[in-house]
């Protein structure tokens, strides 16, 4: 949603704090998952824009930066040696493309396309009709995939832009830091591994190749989430919310 995993961690903690403070307001009229999604979505829609969102408000801004980064071929040995960095470049570039969508488009696309939430669930989370959600998802898809088909060599062999060729330029510009990977950090799962398996009709959609690229992100699992909850539960602010004194008798 924000391109920077470090910003995402801060936003995650802010959302968890909101969830904790609003638990008493959950009335059971919707599923807990939907209620949780709504809090997350509302927080993201109303929070201050991150600097990366400001930098890439449109695909044209992103395309200009990509074109200004020179191509440089890697030798066969460099491609093997730097395979992890190439994957870092790929994931980071795909995340940057998502940033070019509006916030609402990003949310709709992530819910409907990457997480494969049913349209009725997405509509409820966004507080819009099912048909409206479907139309917004279609527009988000079309905007993103039009850019990818025009620019990205992963989906169109006629496009010259290739992750290995951009790698050295990405490193020079600070898009990839060989000492601190942000995206390709050996998390144990990929998004597509936890998304419900699609039926045969969906697998025939022309968008499938694009979708698989976007779902092939690595994501953080237990360690980060456990740390977030531990830090929050032990924080003074949370104890004050629940009127805990921190004494052993409570």
């Amino acid at each position: 949603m924000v391109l920077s995993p470090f910003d995402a961690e801060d936003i995650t903690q802010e959302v968890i704090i909101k969830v904790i403070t609003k638990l008493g307001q959950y009335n059971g009229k919707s599923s807990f998952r939907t209620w949780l999604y709504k809090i997350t979505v509302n927080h993201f829609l109303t929070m201050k824009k991150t600097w990366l969102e400001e930098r890439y408000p449109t695909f044209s801004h992103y395309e200009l930066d990509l074109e200004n980064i020179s191509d440089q071929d890697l030798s066969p040995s460099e491609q093997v040696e730097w395979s992890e960095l190439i994957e870092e470049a790929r994931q980071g570039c795909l995340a940057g493309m998502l940033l070019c969508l509006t916030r609402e488009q990003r949310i709709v696309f992530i819910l409907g396309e990457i997480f494969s939430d049913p349209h009725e669930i997405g509509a409820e989370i966004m507080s819009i009709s099912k048909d409206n959600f479907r139309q917004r998802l279609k527009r988000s898809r079309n905007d993103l995939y039009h850019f990818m088909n025009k620019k990205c060599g992963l989906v169109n062999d006629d496009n010259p832009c290739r992750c290995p060729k951009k790698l050295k330029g990405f490193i020079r510009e600070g898009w990839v830091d060989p000492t601190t990977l942000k995206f390709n950090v050996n998390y144990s799962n990929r998004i597509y591994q936890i998304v419900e398996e699609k039926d045969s009709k969906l697998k025939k959609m022309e968008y499938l190749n694009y979708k698989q690229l976007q779902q092939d992100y690595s994501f953080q699992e237990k360690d980060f989430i456990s740390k977030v909850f531990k830090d929050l539960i032990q924080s003074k602010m949370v104890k004050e919310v629940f009127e805990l004194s921190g004494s052993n008798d409570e």
Side-chain angles (χ1 to χ4, degrees):
M1 295 292 281
V2 291
L3 184 56
S4 166
F6 309 114
D7 287 342
E9 289 179 1
D10 290 339
I11 296 167
T12 299
Q13 294 189 59
E14 292 167 5
V15 169
I16 292 173
I17 290 170
K18 280 192 174 181
V19 170
I20 291 173
T21 58
K22 293 178 181 289
L23 276 175
Q25 299 176 20
Y26 176 61
N27 55 22
K29 290 183 179 179
S30 62
S31 71
F32 185 78
R33 183 186 72 161
T34 301
W35 179 80
L36 178 60
Y37 268 135
K38 280 189 172 183
I39 290 177
T40 306
V41 166
N42 289 334
H43 178 83
F44 183 74
L45 286 175
T46 58
M47 74 180 194
K48 183 180 178 181
K49 281 192 174 183
T50 65
W51 72 274
L52 285 168
E53 287 181 289
E54 297 281 4
R55 183 174 179 85
Y56 298 117
T58 68
F59 286 102
S60 296
H61 290 80
Y62 194 64
E63 182 177 14
L64 181 61
D65 268 7
L66 280 175
E67 289 178 348
N68 287 333
I69 293 176
S70 60
D71 292 345
Q72 189 171 350
D73 288 326
L74 300 182
S75 67
S77 61
E78 285 177 326
Q79 291 208 35
V80 173
E81 180 183 357
W82 291 356
S83 61
E84 294 298 320
L85 295 181
I86 294 171
E87 177 63 14
E88 172 80 356
R90 186 186 75 90
Q91 291 199 33
C93 194
L94 285 168
M97 294 177 196
L98 280 181
L99 206 66
C100 300
L101 298 170
T102 66
R103 281 186 171 182
E104 184 185 75
Q105 283 183 310
R106 261 175 281 163
I107 291 171
V108 168
F109 183 85
I110 289 172
L111 289 174
E113 192 78 345
I114 297 180
F115 289 171
S116 297
D117 278 338
H119 290 178
E120 58 269 21
I121 298 297
E124 185 178 2
I125 292 167
M126 300 298 295
S127 299
I128 56 179
S129 70
K130 182 179 175 180
D131 286 343
N132 202 338
F133 181 86
R134 186 184 295 109
Q135 289 300 316
R136 294 185 192 189
L137 176 58
K138 181 179 179 181
R139 286 195 295 269
S140 300
R141 255 193 220 129
N142 288 343
D143 288 349
L144 178 62
Y145 296 158
H146 174 74
F147 175 77
M148 292 177 72
N149 193 55
K150 180 180 73 170
K151 190 70 184 176
C152 182
L154 292 171
V155 297
N156 187 341
D157 290 337
D158 293 333
N159 292 329
C161 193
R162 296 287 192 278
C163 304
K165 287 186 175 182
K166 290 292 184 186
L167 179 59
K168 290 184 178 180
F170 281 179
I171 293 174
R172 282 195 300 272
E173 296 298 322
W175 287 32
V176 171
D177 181 354
T179 64
T180 308
L181 301 186
K182 295 190 296 183
F183 301 99
N184 183 34
V185 289
N186 297 317
Y187 298 143
S188 60
N189 279 324
R190 303 275 180 173
I191 288 176
Y192 70 81
Q193 293 172 318
I194 63 168
V195 171
E196 242 182 303
E197 186 175 355
K198 291 303 181 179
D199 61 29
S200 58
K201 289 183 181 179
L202 187 56
K203 289 178 181 177
K204 294 177 182 177
M205 287 178 59
E206 66 174 303
Y207 293 126
L208 184 60
N209 289 336
Y210 302 94
K211 169 185 269 193
Q212 287 178 336
L213 283 172
Q214 291 292 346
Q215 286 185 331
D216 194 31
Y217 285 118
S218 51
F219 72 98
Q220 297 195 52
E221 258 193 321
K222 294 189 266 187
D223 293 343
F224 169 67
I225 298 300
S226 298
K227 182 179 183 302
V228 168
F229 273 103
K230 182 178 179 181
D231 291 345
L232 282 171
I233 295 302
Q234 294 178 348
S235 70
K236 179 181 178 182
M237 180 180 63
V238 171
K239 290 179 179 179
E240 289 175 349
V241 168
F242 288 97
E243 299 180 346
L244 297 177
S245 64
S247 59
N248 293 330
D249 60 339
E250 291 188 82

